[in-house]
């Protein structure tokens, strides 16, 4: 009621309902246009056509018991999940001595627990770094043995899931700080430093990971002085780290470029030094912007570790081949075995991508207006 | 004229081939309040940004509070502690709360303990009348509030000189006054300040001296009375006629 001179604000009302039940939802989301309707129908047809066959193979006709004769009698009509029950210890722990396999199991659980702890925000503190050092030491003692009455197991016997986890966690953890330094170096005002960083990134990006691993494994020892050898696992770790760091550096650089110059100027005018500016102002904002791409790189690195098979380190993928190649009876059921490790990879990668979404949501304070 | 705190002596600067500052001679006295105006691209911002070395000059001498500016990192650090600057685009740190924006430099640059830094920050926020927003993030504030936070942030390092680089140009009209009021109060308290602005009302009421720049040169400088009533130079008259007609 606005009469002359007075202003009466209209009270806020709730927004009108935007959904109209199930049929409305279906129409809006599945059949909004001719093209979308066609796509929906195609997908439904594909599912109707292929799904029953897959269910027959994977569930109805499948053999779950590790019974080789029954499996062979299936003649591809059903899956032989028995191969997993038969071979899971070889797949999960590779050539690690059978009687000692509680050690890689304990090491794996320890490592996974530490990864989960690191992802938990209340635990983010300086102590986490120390805890990681302790966990890595414990991991090596458990795996390597030779102390505390544990029998010694050389690194070439390590394999399966613990090796995959070791390669990817150390690869990722070491690549990240290197990537940040290289990204900063590429933006440096010092020409020599900038050139070194550019050459490093372009050189590594220009070759496949396999060739880096080959060089680390076979060529590098040729250049070492006589009598000095560095463990192949260490060499491969360095290779993976340098490879991952080059890609990650470009991701970080993308984030750095998105920070407006005014932030640098404000920091400079307040007297902050170069490193203070990077640490307190630029990196916290830049890294936040590229969380999805960073996680993309991490997931790539995790899966890339499967390539170390070619230099005779039998991580998860390699140990499947190892488990089947030595046993003619079970060799035909490689598909089931690979589906098994595919599921393991998928669980890890899916967890990583979900975590990435969580990080994005919880770190973007200050960029939202609420 | 009081003893100068800032002295420009034949200062020249180029951006590549573009001669942006040409033979600048200027002495700013302790407690003096200067407004610089002029058309865009005349070198006003560059001139004040040379004072805290956000830009470097290539010829001539520039001294701030007895320290001559050079490439020496220590010299630059020393000068930056004496000089606070407020930018057109505020340049607050969006990932930090208002309070953290204010305590960052005191804690990391001058090693003030957190508790003291926070007390000092709250005092400055009270001074710019925004203490109740201390826990918010910059993006949650209006432009005028953000600019007042930016002023408080610069004041937390207790500068001897404050530079304002078009502090109200990025603001909605209804927020200009709240920012200018804060700057006026600072001026009343005797702070040496140089303000690049087109707010001529502000210049008239606050400035001791108004400087007009064009094409990288100081064309004319005078007291506000004389400057606005009897502009000497044709370029000044032309400029004033353009900005004072409405």
């Amino acid at each position: 009621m606005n009469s002359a001179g007075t202003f009466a604000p209209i009270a806020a009302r709730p927004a009108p309902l935007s959904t109209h039940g199930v049929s409305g939802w279906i129409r809006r989301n599945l059949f909004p246009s001719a093209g979308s309707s066609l796509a929906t129908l195609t997908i439904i047809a594909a599912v109707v056509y292929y799904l029953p066959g897959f269910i027959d193979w994977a569930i109805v006709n499948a053999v779950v018991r590790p019974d080789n004769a029954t499996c062979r009698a299936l003649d591809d009509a059903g899956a032989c999940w028995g191969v997993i029950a038969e071979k899971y210890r070889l797949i999960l722990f590779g050539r690690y001595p059978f009687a000692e396999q509680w050690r890689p199991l304990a090491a794996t659980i320890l490592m996974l627990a530490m990864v989960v702890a690191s992802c938990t925000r209340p635990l983010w503190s300086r102590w986490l770094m120390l805890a990681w050092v302790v966990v890595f030491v414990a991991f090596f003692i458990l795996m390597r043995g030779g102390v505390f009455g544990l029998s010694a197991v050389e690194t070439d016997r390590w394999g399966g899931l613990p090796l995959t986890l070791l390669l990817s966690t150390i690869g990722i953890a070491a690549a990240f700080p290197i990537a940040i330094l290289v990204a900063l170096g590429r933006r440096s005002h010092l020409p020599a430093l900038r050139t070194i960083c550019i050459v490093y990134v372009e050189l590594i990006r220009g070759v496949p990971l396999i060739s880096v691993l080959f060089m680390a494994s076979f060529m590098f020892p040729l250049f070492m002085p006589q009598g000095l050898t560095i463990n192949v696992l260490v060499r491969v770790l360095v290779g993976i780290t340098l490879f991952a760091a080059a890609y990650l550096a470009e991701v970080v650089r993308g984030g750095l470029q998105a920070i407006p110059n005014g932030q640098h100027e404000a920091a400079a005018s307040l007297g902050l030094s170069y490193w203070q500016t990077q640490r307190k102002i630029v990196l916290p904002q830049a890294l936040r912007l590229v969380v999805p791409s960073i996680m993309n790189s991490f997931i790539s690195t995790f899966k890339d570790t499967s390539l170390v098979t070619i230099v005779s380190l039998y991580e998860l993928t390699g140990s499947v081949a190892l488990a089947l190649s030595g046993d003619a009876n079970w060799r035909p059921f490689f598909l089931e075995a690979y589906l098994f490790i595919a599921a393991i990879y998928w669980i890890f990668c899916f967890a990583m991508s979900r975590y990435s979404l969580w990080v994005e949501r919880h770190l973007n304070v200050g960029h939202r207006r609420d | 004229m009081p003893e100068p705190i800032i002295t420009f002596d034949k200062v020249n600067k180029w951006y590549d081939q573009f001669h942006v500052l040409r033979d600048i001679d200027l002495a700013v006295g302790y407690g003096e309040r200067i407004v610089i105006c002029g058309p865009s691209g005349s070198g006003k911002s560059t001139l004040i940004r040379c004072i805290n070395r956000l830009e470097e000059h290539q010829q001539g001498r520039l001294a701030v509070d007895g320290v001559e500016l050079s490439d020496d990192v220590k010299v630059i650090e020393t000068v930056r502690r004496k000089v606070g600057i407020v930018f057109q685009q505020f340049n607050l740190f969006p990932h930090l709360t208002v309070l953290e924006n204010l305590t960052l430099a005191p804690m990391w640059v001058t090693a003030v303990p957190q508790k003291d830094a926070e007390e000092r920050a709250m005092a400055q926020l009270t001074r710019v009348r925004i203490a109740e927003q201390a826990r918010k993030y910059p993006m949650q504030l209006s432009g005028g509030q953000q600019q007042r936070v930016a002023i408080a942030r610069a004041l937390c390092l207790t500068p001897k000189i404050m530079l304002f680089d078009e502090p109200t140009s990025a603001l909605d009209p209804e927020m200009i006054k709240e920012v200018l009021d804060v700057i006026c109060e600072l001026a009343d308290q005797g702070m040496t300040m140089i303000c690049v602005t087109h707010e001529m009302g502000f210049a008239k009421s606050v400035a001791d001296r108004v400087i007009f720049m064009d094409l990288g040169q100081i064309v004319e400088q005078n007291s506000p009375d004389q400057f606005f009533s009897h502009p000497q130079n044709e370029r000044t008259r032309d400029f004033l006629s353009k900005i004072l007609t409405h």
Side-chain angles (χ1 to χ4, degrees):
Chain A
M1 238 126 322
N2 285 329
S3 59
T6 63
F7 167 70
I10 297 168
R13 293 187 295 266
L17 284 177
S18 58
T19 48
H20 307 285
V22 179
S23 65
W25 185 92
I26 289 176
R27 212 176 313 119
R28 257 182 305 111
N29 293 290
L30 300 182
F31 301 100
S33 67
S36 297
S37 305
L38 190 66
T40 303
L41 290 174
T42 311
I43 292 168
I44 290 173
V47 168
V48 168
Y49 187 76
Y50 287 109
L51 196 61
F54 179 77
I55 290 174
D56 280 346
W57 180 80
I59 299 169
V60 179
N61 299 333
V63 175
V64 182
R65 284 168 293 108
D67 179 347
N68 194 259
T70 325
C71 274
R72 287 182 159 271
L74 277 171
D75 198 24
D76 284 344
C80 170
W81 300 118
V83 67
I84 294 160
E86 174 75 19
K87 298 287 185 190
Y88 75 97
R89 287 183 66 163
L90 250 172
I91 293 173
L92 288 179
F93 301 122
R95 296 191 298 160
Y96 206 89
F98 195 81
E100 299 283 335
Q101 282 183 357
W102 64 271
R103 285 160 54 183
L105 178 65
T108 304
I109 291 170
L110 191 64
M111 184 82 97
L112 285 177
M114 193 58 214
V115 168
V116 170
S118 304
C119 293
T120 315
R121 194 164 194 184
L123 298 178
W124 290 353
S125 70
R126 281 161 210 282
W127 296 105
L128 211 54
M129 291 289 279
L130 189 70
W132 266 110
V133 174
V134 171
V135 163
F136 275 127
V137 170
F139 185 94
F140 272 93
I141 290 174
L142 275 169
M143 294 292 285
R144 181 70 173 70
V147 284
F148 305 129
L150 297 170
S151 59
V153 178
E154 292 303 322
T155 53
D156 59 355
R157 301 289 299 271
W158 298 13
L161 189 57
L163 186 59
T164 295
L165 289 178
L166 180 74
L167 291 170
S168 37
T169 48
I170 293 191
I172 287 168
F176 196 49
I178 296 174
I180 288 175
L181 293 177
V182 171
L184 291 173
R186 268 194 91 154
R187 290 164 55 85
S188 166
H189 296 297
L190 309 170
L193 183 61
R194 196 169 58 232
T195 310
I196 291 171
C197 292
I198 291 174
V199 167
Y200 163 71
V201 169
E202 297 304 336
L203 213 60
I204 298 278
R205 280 206 302 186
V207 295
L209 176 57
I210 288 197
S211 59
V212 173
L213 293 176
F214 263 120
M215 278 190 271
S217 177
F218 301 118
M219 267 176 69
F220 183 73
L222 303 178
F223 302 120
M224 294 302 288
Q226 201 109 52
L228 180 67
T229 56
I230 297 177
N231 188 302
V232 64
L233 183 61
V234 175
R235 281 182 269 137
V236 161
L237 260 174
V238 171
I240 288 178
T241 302
L242 293 180
F243 190 82
Y247 281 86
L248 206 49
E250 286 297 280
V251 170
V252 174
R253 193 167 70 91
L256 293 177
Q257 275 173 340
I259 304 304
N261 204 27
Q263 295 287 306
H264 294 270
E265 287 182 349
S269 72
L270 290 170
L272 293 171
S273 70
Y274 173 81
W275 288 109
Q276 286 171 336
T277 305
Q278 302 308 326
R279 191 168 147 224
K280 291 279 161 188
I281 307 299
V282 177
L283 284 172
Q285 297 184 62
L287 295 180
R288 225 164 272 203
L289 287 172
V290 291
V291 165
S293 308
I294 289 176
M295 196 50 85
N296 212 12
S297 281
F298 284 179
I299 289 175
S300 287
T301 303
F302 177 71
K303 291 188 293 184
D304 280 351
T305 58
S306 58
L307 290 171
V308 301
T309 306
I310 60 140
V311 292
S312 306
L313 287 173
Y314 297 101
E315 46 60 69
L316 206 47
T317 315
S319 60
V320 173
L322 197 70
L324 298 178
S325 64
D327 191 339
N329 284 332
W330 292 99
R331 206 178 298 154
F333 310 107
F334 63 92
L335 185 60
E336 291 84 340
Y338 277 111
L339 279 175
F340 173 59
I341 62 155
I344 295 178
Y345 276 109
W346 185 83
I347 288 168
F348 277 100
C349 294
F350 185 67
M352 284 159 95
S353 84
R354 297 306 299 183
Y355 181 65
S356 158
L357 289 178
W358 180 86
V359 169
E360 264 178 81
R361 256 200 327 267
H362 285 253
L363 286 189
N364 74 353
V365 284
H367 292 277
R368 287 173 304 181
R369 267 180 171 271
D370 52 42
Chain B
M1 179 160 162
E3 191 183 331
I5 188 170
I6 304 171
T7 321
F8 286 77
D9 181 8
K10 288 262 176 296
V11 168
N12 280 278
K13 176 175 174 62
W14 289 261
Y15 289 127
D16 288 328
Q17 289 304 309
F18 179 62
H19 197 170
V20 59
L21 292 181
R22 307 181 187 180
D23 291 342
I24 301 290
D25 281 314
L26 176 66
V28 180
Y30 277 92
E32 203 181 358
R33 298 170 294 246
I34 291 181
V35 162
I36 303 179
C37 59
S40 70
S42 59
K44 325 178 282 290
S45 291
T46 310
L47 181 126
I48 67 165
R49 287 155 61 93
C50 281
I51 296 170
N52 68 347
R53 200 67 171 184
L54 288 181
E55 306 283 355
E56 56 191 69
H57 59 282
Q58 283 128 338
Q59 277 178 9
R61 296 153 64 90
L62 171 51
V64 177
D65 199 29
V67 182
E68 186 179 339
L69 275 164
S70 65
D71 286 332
D72 188 340
V73 179
K74 287 268 176 267
V75 167
I76 297 172
E77 262 176 34
T78 313
V79 169
R80 283 180 179 164
R81 281 197 205 170
K82 299 170 189 283
V83 182
I85 186 167
V86 173
F87 301 92
Q88 182 180 352
Q89 300 293 344
F90 329 138
N91 294 350
L92 294 175
F93 306 129
H95 60 301
L96 301 177
T97 64
V98 165
L99 190 63
E100 288 166 342
N101 264 276
L102 267 66
T103 55
L104 183 79
M107 281 169 61
W108 289 84
V109 177
T110 50
V112 175
Q114 182 171 1
K115 198 166 155 289
D116 296 359
E118 286 182 356
E119 274 171 22
R120 216 193 271 179
M122 288 311 294
Q124 295 299 348
L125 286 174
T126 310
R127 190 172 176 184
V128 301
R129 292 186 292 277
I130 204 165
E132 71 284 0
Q133 312 281 12
R135 301 285 165 189
K136 288 197 178 168
Y137 286 93
M139 291 297 280
Q140 294 167 286
L141 306 182
S142 73
Q145 290 173 322
Q146 289 190 52
Q147 192 60 300
R148 285 187 280 146
V149 171
I151 294 171
R153 181 175 69 177
L155 291 174
C156 276
L157 288 166
T158 55
K160 291 186 169 182
I161 303 162
M162 281 290 282
L163 308 174
F164 295 90
D165 189 358
E166 306 207 27
T168 57
S169 301
L171 295 177
D172 290 335
E174 80 267 25
M175 293 170 184
I176 291 176
K177 186 173 178 296
E178 65 186 58
V179 171
L180 290 182
D181 284 349
V182 165
I183 300 177
C184 285
E185 279 167 37
L186 275 180
D188 291 343
Q189 289 156 12
M191 173 76 75
T192 307
M193 56 170 68
I194 304 179
C195 185
V196 173
T197 185
H198 293 146
E199 296 293 332
M200 291 300 126
F202 170 77
K204 277 178 194 164
S205 64
V206 169
D208 297 315
R209 186 163 32 141
V210 180
I211 292 175
F212 174 69
M213 286 185 74
D214 194 13
L215 298 173
Q217 284 168 270
I218 294 180
V219 176
E220 179 169 353
Q221 43 181 316
N222 219 328
S223 67
D225 280 353
Q226 291 295 311
F227 182 83
F228 290 110
S229 57
H230 300 98
Q232 304 294 309
N233 194 289
E234 179 201 339
R235 283 191 170 280
T236 317
R237 283 195 290 274
D238 186 43
F239 177 73
L240 287 177
S241 72
K242 278 178 190 151
I243 63 167
L244 292 178
T245 46
H246 51 93

